[in-house]
């Protein structure tokens, strides 16, 4: 499972629309930082289920130093195809059911009260062009990005999110590619992950049954307190590369999944009040949407 931490900006609130407008106008140019990694593979469908077998944020062993050297190409090339999935959260939607209904073809939440921990329907809304996850120290949130059918079938691709967190100290989040089969040893890729008052980490988990807590990875210099674009480029069986704002921060060739995964996040149910804000999500994948 994923638990997390979060801090507050100058006013403790989401960025107003006026402040966000320049970013909206620059959206097209920002997306040129994200590359497509299209990989042909079979389709495996699954249902919403938990990734809570995984260790919580702050409860991880030290990552292995192996396979941790970035490649000689440290920046992303411009994409050559349109994303298979894209969501900007430009339609306002309140929590309490409206968000889930409005974004039913983009967000597949865990059922409310799952594990007596996740209450996505109660804490997630959309306003001012962001997906807003409100943290109160008692209710967490979790779910999968993508369409109702395509969200479960990614085998390779490029997965990109622009996000920041305000508040939420002693809580944290993990965005991850998690096996659709829920078999942990099929591989877990975490990015961005970490406590909200700390730096953002990237981790690839071991794929031997019983050794899944072992991982290659590192903590970047990026913090949750400012907007960053986090991109995972996964080529099945070959490599996983992690980028912050288009710059390569970590590459792994040891723990690289080959089966269907879903792109999701989990936030814990502890810590101080705060907000995780998601500006947009983009996926380039030959096998899902």
């Amino acid at each position: 499972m994923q638990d997390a931490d979060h801090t507050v900006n100058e006013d403790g609130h989401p960025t107003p629309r006026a402040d966000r407008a320049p970013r909206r106008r620059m959206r097209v140019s920002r997306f040129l930082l994200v590359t497509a990694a299209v990989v042909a593979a079979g389709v495996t469908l699954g249902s919403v289920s938990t990734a809570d077998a995984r260790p919580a944020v702050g409860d991880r062993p030290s990552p292995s130093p192996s396979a941790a050297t970035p490649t000689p190409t440290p920046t992303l090339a411009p994409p050559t195809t349109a994303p298979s999935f894209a969501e900007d959260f430009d339609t306002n939607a309140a929590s309490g059911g409206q968000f889930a209904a409005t974004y039913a073809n983009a967000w597949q939440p865990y059922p409310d009260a799952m594990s007596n921990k996740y209450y996505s329907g109660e804490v997630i809304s959309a306003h001012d062009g962001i997906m807003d996850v409100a943290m109160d120290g008692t209710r967490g949130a979790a779910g999968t990005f993508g369409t109702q059918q395509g969200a479960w079938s990614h085998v390779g691709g490029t997965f990109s999110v622009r996000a920041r967190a305000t508040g939420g100290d002693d809580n944290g989040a993990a965005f991850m590619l998690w096996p659709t089969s829920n078999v942990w040893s099929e591989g877990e890729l975490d990015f961005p992950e970490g406590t909200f008052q700390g730096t953002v980490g990237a981790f690839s988990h071991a794929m031997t049954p019983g050794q899944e807590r072992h991982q290659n990875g590192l903590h970047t210099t990026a913090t949750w307190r400012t907007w960053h674009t986090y991109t995972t480029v996964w080529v099945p069986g070959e490599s996983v590369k992690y980028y912050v704002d288009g710059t390569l921060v970590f590459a792994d060739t040891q723990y690289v999944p080959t089966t269907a995964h879903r792109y999701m996040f989990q936030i814990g149910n502890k810590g101080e009040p705060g907000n995780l804000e998601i500006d947009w999500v983009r996926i380039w994948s030959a096998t899902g949407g």
Side-chain angles (χ1 to χ4, degrees):
M1 113 187 171
Q2 177 61 45
D3 285 329
D5 321 19
H6 211 126
T7 10
V8 186
N9 67 356
E10 297 80 30
D11 58 7
H13 294 86
T15 304
R17 169 65 72 179
D19 292 341
R20 291 170 49 81
R23 291 188 292 106
R24 290 294 174 193
R25 290 194 295 268
M26 295 175 63
R27 188 181 301 280
V28 174
S29 61
R30 288 202 312 265
F31 293 157
L32 293 179
L33 292 174
V34 185
T35 186
V38 178
V39 180
V43 174
T44 302
L45 298 180
S47 58
V48 176
S49 52
T50 182
D52 277 354
R54 61 190 302 281
V57 170
D59 185 30
R60 293 183 171 278
S62 299
S64 304
S66 60
T69 303
T71 70
T73 54
T75 57
L76 285 171
T80 58
T81 60
S84 55
F85 172 81
E87 183 54 65
D88 296 313
F89 306 107
D90 284 335
T91 301
N92 289 353
S95 58
Q98 186 179 347
F99 180 90
T102 301
Y103 291 97
N105 208 37
W107 167 247
Q108 316 307 321
Y110 282 17
D112 279 351
M114 184 173 180
S115 302
N116 196 31
K117 177 177 183 178
Y118 300 112
Y119 295 86
S120 299
E122 298 179 7
V123 302
I124 297 178
S125 64
H127 60 86
D128 302 305
I130 63 169
M131 178 180 181
D132 185 348
V133 185
M135 295 173 285
D136 59 9
T138 61
R139 295 176 294 180
T144 298
F145 294 110
T147 66
Q148 295 177 3
Q149 295 300 317
W152 321 105
S153 56
H154 304 296
V155 185
T158 296
F159 305 83
S160 191
V161 61
R162 188 170 190 264
R164 73 169 180 180
T166 63
D169 286 5
D170 300 320
N171 198 0
F175 288 73
M176 71 187 86
L177 283 157
W178 176 261
T180 295
S181 66
N182 290 311
V183 176
W184 195 2
S185 59
E186 290 185 9
E188 173 190 354
L189 308 176
D190 301 311
F191 185 63
E193 179 185 41
T195 56
F196 290 132
Q197 68 265 35
T199 57
V200 170
F203 302 98
S204 301
H205 282 255
M207 299 173 62
T208 300
Q211 298 182 23
E212 295 93 342
R213 285 177 176 261
H214 296 289
Q215 62 209 4
N216 294 329
L218 52 73
H219 275 272
T220 71
T221 59
T223 73
W224 292 92
R225 302 315 184 186
T226 57
W227 289 104
H228 291 291
T229 297
Y230 303 100
T231 302
T232 302
V233 179
W234 164 32
V235 181
E238 295 185 17
S239 66
V240 183
K241 298 177 182 178
Y242 303 95
Y243 297 81
V244 175
D245 299 328
T247 298
L248 182 66
V249 294
F250 181 74
D252 188 18
T253 58
Q254 183 177 13
Y255 303 141
V256 184
T258 59
T259 62
H261 279 53
R262 63 184 191 261
Y263 186 50
M264 59 171 291
F265 76 77
Q266 293 177 336
I267 292 179
N269 60 341
K270 62 180 184 179
E272 299 297 320
N275 298 80
L276 174 69
E277 301 171 354
I278 300 170
D279 187 8
W280 50 258
V281 179
R282 295 287 186 272
I283 297 172
W284 283 260
S285 175
T287 58

